Amino acid sequence: MPTLLHIDSSPLGEASVSRQLSAEFVANWKKANPNGKVVTRDLSTATLQPINGEWVGAAYSPEEARTPAQRAALATSDALIAELEAADEYVLGVPMHNFGIPSVLKLWIDLVARVGKTFSYAGGAPEGLLKGKKATFVVASGGVYDAASAAAAFNFVEPYLRAVFGFVGVTEVKFINAGGAAALNYGKVDRKTFLQPHVESIRAQFKAA
Ligand SMILES: Cc1cc2nc3c(=O)[nH]c(=O)nc-3n(C[C@H](O)[C@H](O)[C@H](O)COP(=O)(O)O)c2cc1C
């Protein structure tokens, strides 16, 4: 039974572009995988704590030597990593905030990028341990950051997500970029017209599959 892990990080609820498009991906995935399981994690309502010294000390202590307090410090990280390990595929709805990813998503990444669990230097070179997974990122931004645009150099979302997911072993990645969402806020385009090409590109992925 294939499993999809669906992660959203926009604080904007029903007004969110990335949430609406990640939901479109999930709906298509369910149709393509009628026996599949979808696990949903909403980071905007999660109360993840930033990692601290105790967390780092625990993560770098050998598992068998960890104290009960150290094990407790890693409990949330363990649970989030277990979700990544159990899923075959991931879809993440990502709003661009200040040219990067939202802080709640960064907190989550800090908790799941963990030595000996999702990456390893044991062989001398870094090795990602999440093998055989694929990820789709649905990114919404107010501006347009296409490769050919003058603003492309300000897009720290896609290069960062490619780097950090690649680091933990997830190299099969796709991006659906819904740039120009500011036009929605200014009433220059209606929501359906704005979303339609992105909805089509999600549907096309499933037709091609
Ligand atoms: C706190 C905040 C910061 C933002 N920073 C940027 C930015 O740096 N560049 C940009 O193009 N849009 C920026 N935007 C606009 C959002 O990327 C845009 O509204 C997008 O639709 C957000 O995704 P969402 O609708 O899924 O929340 C920002 C919006 C918010 C709320």
Side-chain angles (χ1 to χ4, degrees):
M1 183 173 69
T3 301
L4 174 71
L5 176 60
H6 172 202
I7 298 177
D8 273 325
S9 53
S10 167
L12 295 187
E14 296 208 336
S16 158
V17 169
S18 62
R19 278 177 188 269
Q20 191 166 340
L21 292 173
S22 71
E24 176 68 31
F25 183 98
V26 172
N28 280 269
W29 189 91
K30 278 185 182 164
K31 258 188 233 164
N33 299 277
N35 300 319
K37 179 181 164 195
V38 178
V39 174
T40 304
R41 183 150 290 271
D42 189 345
L43 298 179
S44 79
T45 52
T47 47
L48 301 180
Q49 296 300 312
I51 59 168
N52 56 18
E54 188 182 22
W55 189 95
V56 176
Y60 281 88
S61 299
E63 200 165 344
E64 60 285 359
R66 279 180 201 139
T67 65
Q70 284 180 317
R71 273 189 232 118
L74 295 178
T76 301
S77 165
D78 287 339
L80 296 175
I81 290 171
E83 281 180 351
L84 281 168
E85 289 171 340
D88 305 285
E89 192 173 344
Y90 318 132
V91 61
L92 287 90
V94 184
M96 177 185 276
H97 282 174
N98 303 312
F99 307 110
I101 63 168
S103 47
V104 288
L105 181 56
K106 178 60 166 57
L107 284 180
W108 177 86
I109 287 171
D110 287 345
L111 289 167
V112 300
R114 208 169 109 198
V115 69
K117 293 285 275 183
T118 55
F119 70 89
S120 169
Y121 282 99
E127 183 192 0
L129 301 179
L130 290 172
K131 311 256 192 217
K133 317 284 188 187
K134 54 184 179 174
T136 301
F137 300 94
V138 182
V139 181
S141 56
V144 176
Y145 298 84
D146 292 348
S149 70
F154 291 90
N155 178 5
F156 294 93
V157 175
E158 182 168 335
Y160 174 67
L161 290 172
R162 277 187 193 279
V164 76
F165 272 76
F167 181 67
V168 295
V170 185
T171 50
E172 195 180 336
V173 294
K174 279 193 186 131
F175 281 80
I176 292 167
N177 291 308
L184 276 180
N185 303 332
Y186 292 113
K188 289 189 181 155
V189 62
D190 70 87
R191 193 168 172 93
K192 195 163 181 239
T193 308
F194 175 77
L195 290 172
Q196 199 53 33
H198 309 301
V199 167
E200 293 301 334
S201 99
I202 289 168
R203 289 182 185 162
Q205 285 194 21
F206 286 89
K207 277 188 196 125

